[in-house]
Amino acid sequence: MNSNDSKRAYRLDMLLACALIASGLAVSGLSLARISMPGPQMAQATPPLQSTPGAETKPSAPAEPATTGTRPSGISPEPAHPNAEAQKEGATPALPPAPAEKTAAPIKDR
């Protein structure tokens, strides 16, 4: 390859690079012009809110319940598992017994 061919290849590369840069700038300019152009804007509006008939006489929200954050003293706590005497009288435990396949064998001492 002689210097004439390398100069021609360099010029073609530079021409291609300039064409790509010019086309990129043109696309960017057109995009910016399109964005800044005011056009008809459409939006779907909801109908205005209408009041319920008789809403003026009704309270807007229920009154807040008065809570003190303390446990009621009139109710005594009950155990999760009733004692043996209560079970004999017919009380049912809060949780059913674990199924047989869920219980493990006792741990052996070493």
Side-chain angles (χ1 to χ4, degrees):
M1 227 162 71
N2 60 21
S3 67
N4 220 7
D5 289 341
S6 65
K7 284 183 182 180
R8 188 177 347 175
Y10 178 74
R11 284 183 187 153
L12 282 175
D13 288 344
M14 289 302 289
L15 182 64
L16 180 63
C18 289
L20 288 174
I21 290 172
S23 64
L25 289 174
V27 168
S28 298
L30 289 173
S31 298
L32 289 174
R34 176 74 177 144
I35 289 172
S36 66
M37 188 170 33
Q41 295 182 356
M42 302 181 86
Q44 181 178 357
T46 58
L49 297 176
Q50 296 178 352
S51 177
T52 306
E56 296 84 21
T57 59
K58 295 179 184 176
S60 61
E64 289 288 325
T67 57
T68 60
T70 58
R71 183 184 178 108
S73 59
I75 303 171
S76 62
E78 296 179 6
H81 300 287
N83 57 16
E85 296 169 5
Q87 286 183 356
K88 288 177 187 176
E89 295 173 2
T92 58
L95 297 173
E101 66 269 5
K102 299 279 181 165
T103 54
I107 299 174
K108 297 178 183 176
D109 291 334
R110 292 186 184 194

